[in-house]
Amino acid sequence: MNTAQAENLGKNYEFTNIQISAGEWPPFLSESLPNKGIIAHLISDIFNEAGIQVEFEFLPWVRAFEVTAQGEYSATSIWMYKKDRTTDFLYSEPVLSEKFVFFHLKDTPFDWNEMNDLRGKSIGGVLGYSYGPKFDAALEEGVFKQLRLPTVDQNLRMLAAGRTDIYAEEMSVANYTLLKRTPELADLITYHPKPILENQSFLLFPKKGPNSKALLEIFNSHLEGFKQDGRYDTYFTE
């Protein structure tokens, strides 16, 4: 389907306004940011080009996933690929490339190469996140413990207070939070350059949603257009 066909498809359907659930994840997604964050801005503009207006509703991550799976929202933004999620959702084409790393206190030396190097550590994380199959398997095997909290801010404060040893987070997200939301911690915390996970994330459309297949086709077609003509990159360079 080309962009013109997708635009016509959007205009021919009854839906002209949709709601998308999301969790707080600045600078990519946040109720307090202009345009609701970089990714929300991108997604909104993609649908707007097809004549569809988007409203983002921010919920705890786990709740956003669960209620969207039941069809209460047209989509949920944004999630990495996990096979079990395909039971309830259709995946878009990739929306964002991410790099997850371990953050630690500057005055506490930290190095790692494989998951066994993390044995016995307490690792911070956000509710509803997956940090990839290797991390999840090591957690299941008891190599380390994980303390999950609702927000990035809370995790950084726990790390600064010594309540966790390290904190797993997407690099841009944690650095943004340190700069803008917890600047008093910026001189205390750094990160290890080795990635835990480099992956892509996607917009998920619920299989229970009556318009999900059509919306998926519209979104994918226009997303490809944004990437081909260079508009996609401007959202991140700005």
Side-chain angles (χ1 to χ4, degrees):
M1 178 182 292
N2 60 37
T3 302
Q5 288 173 322
E7 185 171 356
N8 288 333
L9 179 60
K11 290 177 178 178
N12 289 335
Y13 271 80
E14 292 183 1
F15 51 79
T16 55
N17 297 277
I18 62 173
Q19 285 189 317
I20 296 177
S21 70
E24 285 284 330
W25 207 41
F28 300 126
L29 295 159
S30 179
E31 193 165 21
S32 64
L33 287 177
N35 301 306
K36 309 302 183 184
I38 296 167
I39 290 299
H41 189 194
L42 171 65
I43 291 170
S44 294
D45 285 353
I46 287 171
F47 276 118
N48 287 346
E49 188 175 69
I52 299 170
Q53 300 299 309
V54 177
E55 178 185 350
F56 277 85
E57 183 160 340
F58 286 84
L59 303 169
W61 280 102
V62 174
R63 178 163 172 75
F65 185 90
E66 291 174 347
V67 297
T68 307
Q70 297 305 311
E72 293 187 24
Y73 294 88
S74 296
T76 183
S77 173
I78 53 177
W79 301 82
M80 67 178 287
Y81 178 83
K82 288 186 74 177
K83 187 176 180 180
D84 60 356
R85 291 175 178 166
T86 61
T87 301
D88 297 311
F89 289 99
L90 304 171
Y91 276 74
S92 73
E93 290 299 309
V95 178
L96 176 68
S97 295
E98 303 165 357
K99 181 178 180 180
F100 285 82
V101 295
F102 286 121
F103 285 78
H104 64 94
L105 294 176
K106 289 182 179 179
D107 62 4
T108 306
F110 169 71
D111 192 19
W112 80 289
N113 187 55
E114 56 186 29
M115 290 296 164
N116 276 333
D117 296 334
L118 308 174
R119 187 168 296 279
K121 291 196 177 296
S122 174
I123 302 177
V126 173
L127 291 168
Y129 278 28
S130 169
Y131 299 92
K134 290 183 179 179
F135 183 99
D136 294 346
L139 178 62
E140 181 71 21
E141 292 167 9
V143 174
F144 47 76
K145 299 180 297 181
Q146 187 165 41
L147 175 63
R148 292 181 179 264
L149 296 170
T151 69
V152 177
D153 308 44
Q154 289 171 322
N155 273 284
L156 289 169
R157 295 186 191 284
M158 289 290 282
L159 177 63
R163 299 282 300 278
T164 52
D165 299 314
I166 51 179
Y167 168 41
E169 185 53 81
E170 205 281 330
M171 187 169 65
S172 297
V173 170
N175 282 330
Y176 175 88
T177 304
L178 285 168
L179 179 66
K180 297 291 187 179
R181 298 196 170 187
T182 57
E184 71 278 10
L185 304 181
D187 290 336
L188 304 177
I189 294 173
T190 187
Y191 65 89
H192 192 285
K194 178 181 171 60
I196 311 163
L197 174 70
E198 291 181 283
N199 73 286
Q200 296 174 314
S201 283
F202 309 82
L203 188 61
L204 302 189
F205 297 85
K207 289 184 176 179
K208 290 185 177 181
N211 300 317
S212 287
K213 289 184 179 180
L215 287 169
L216 175 66
E217 290 181 355
I218 292 166
F219 181 78
N220 281 346
S221 178
H222 284 272
L223 174 61
E224 179 62 24
F226 272 57
K227 289 181 176 180
Q228 287 184 354
D229 65 19
R231 283 178 291 169
Y232 174 90
D233 294 330
T234 65
Y235 290 81
F236 302 95
T237 56
E238 290 174 1

